[in-house]
Amino acid sequence: MSSIRAASTRARRTAILEAALDCFTTRGVDATTIEELCHQAGCSTGSIYHHFGNKEGIASGLFLHGIRSLNADLLRRLQHCQTAEQSVRMVVIQYCDWIHDNPELARYLLSFRDISFSATARLELQSTYHHHLAAIFRWFRPFVLREEIRTLPPEAYVPIISGPIQDYARHWVRGQFQLPPSAVKDVFAEAAWNAVRGPGAG
Amino acid sequence: MSSIRAASTRARRTAILEAALDCFTTRGVDATTIEELCHQAGCSTGSIYHHFGNKEGIASGLFLHGIRSLNADLLRRLQHCQTAEQSVRMVVIQYCDWIHDNPELARYLLSFRDISFSATARLELQSTYHHHLAAIFRWFRPFVLREEIRTLPPEAYVPIISGPIQDYARHWVRGQFQLPPSAVKDVFAEAAWNAVRGPGAG
DNA sequence: CATCATATTAGAATCTCATTCTAGGCAATT
DNA sequence: AATTGCCTAGAATGAGATTCTAATATGATG
């Protein structure tokens, strides 16, 4: 059920987030003023503060949106994987593909410092990450039980599998590396598989 | 040659950086005011702006200092390694040890993303990272040539070896993981070695 | 030793924003 | 049609980053 008001509220929120994504990635969060956001989103300061509370609320809202979209996409694509090796490689491949398909949002997620988020925003992020870890672990457990994947502390899997490509991507968005993640995804997928493959793996 | 003036300049800079480290890690960068820094460092605003230009200059100066100290420590400890496996494991172990020995600085480095740094600060960071990558690659090249370590794009080694433990540590400082890095260092050292060990390795 | 140039410090004055406040406007419900 | 509560606008406020001016201290030069 989408009343006229609910629809226009959604549209306004989206307009603000889009303006923020553009300004934040090009000029940086600190350098963009509320006035600029108002201009680009075509609204007033009152409207912005009504929807997001404060500037940090916009920044964390955008961050959370990006993380959730990224996580959901991974879980979706894992459904199509059969083997342990396919699944591990998919974690890396999907990350690269997602960056390729969502360049601005990726740039934002990868270049943000989140020490500045409020306590509630951090809690929300934390809970999102926690659920994601659990879902990932749930997917991989059968492979671990069959020893196709090495047994590790549960919290170690995500860092070990996707830490390298994330680190690479972080440097890439800053222009420190030439090749985009999509050009090195197979190298990193291979490394991830080698890092976790167990004795029972083909 | 350390004249009286040079010494007191160094002392003042250090006092400001120490105050910043304390305030930034406890309250966050945005939340600490220049006034607070003045009070804690025992100096005036004029002095701060003379030495660091602006608030961002303090933040990036502290960041650069931390990165350089971390990198130098790694290169020092690599000198004592003999084999490829020792060396790869050392990259992980040293990182954990350094975090353990420099908890505040580590907390600062790990909870910061540098989109907000100025262009010149970013360049300086970039060049520092570039030199570090080159030094690391220089150390590992002999092992790669002997195929004790797999051949990869040069830029991939550091992300693959230290990406996972960095990602783990980032979550740990936010309280998302219970075990400190030093408690899981062997797991991550093992994973790093498996990720890059070549056909010629024992 | 006197003088000058420069590095450093202090703290008041300014000025740029983030945020708050007040007053409406407009969909939905009765 | 009246009422309620969400939503918007834009002016007013206030905090705090930055700039400015003047003073002090160091070291170099003659």
Side-chain angles (χ1 to χ4, degrees), chain B residues 81-152:
Chain B
C81 296
Q82 311 288 330
T83 67
E85 181 170 355
Q86 271 180 354
S87 301
V88 169
R89 285 176 182 272
M90 179 54 83
V91 173
V92 176
I93 307 248
Q94 177 270 344
Y95 190 75
C96 297
D97 290 347
W98 191 86
I99 288 176
H100 182 266
D101 295 337
N102 302 271
E104 283 212 304
L105 204 45
R107 168 171 225 82
Y108 179 70
L109 292 186
L110 285 169
S111 53
F112 214 94
R113 305 275 171 84
D114 56 1
I115 198 179
S116 60
F117 288 165
S118 71
T120 55
R122 282 207 303 271
L123 274 181
E124 219 168 344
L125 260 175
Q126 202 157 323
S127 131
T128 297
Y129 186 70
H130 188 77
H131 285 307
H132 181 63
L133 271 192
I136 293 294
F137 188 65
R138 214 174 302 126
W139 178 263
F140 281 105
R141 184 168 27 211
F143 303 125
V144 175
L145 292 179
R146 275 182 256 146
E147 294 194 318
E148 291 165 21
I149 290 180
R150 189 181 306 260
T151 301
L152 299 171

Side-chain angles (χ1 to χ4, degrees), chain A residues 98-131:
Chain A
W98 191 86
I99 289 177
H100 181 267
D101 295 337
N102 303 271
E104 283 211 304
L105 204 45
R107 166 172 226 83
Y108 179 70
L109 292 187
L110 285 168
S111 53
F112 202 82
R113 77 196 150 84
D114 53 4
I115 198 178
S116 60
F117 287 163
S118 71
T120 55
R122 283 207 302 272
L123 274 182
E124 218 168 344
L125 259 175
Q126 203 157 324
S127 132
T128 297
Y129 186 70
H130 188 77
H131 285 307

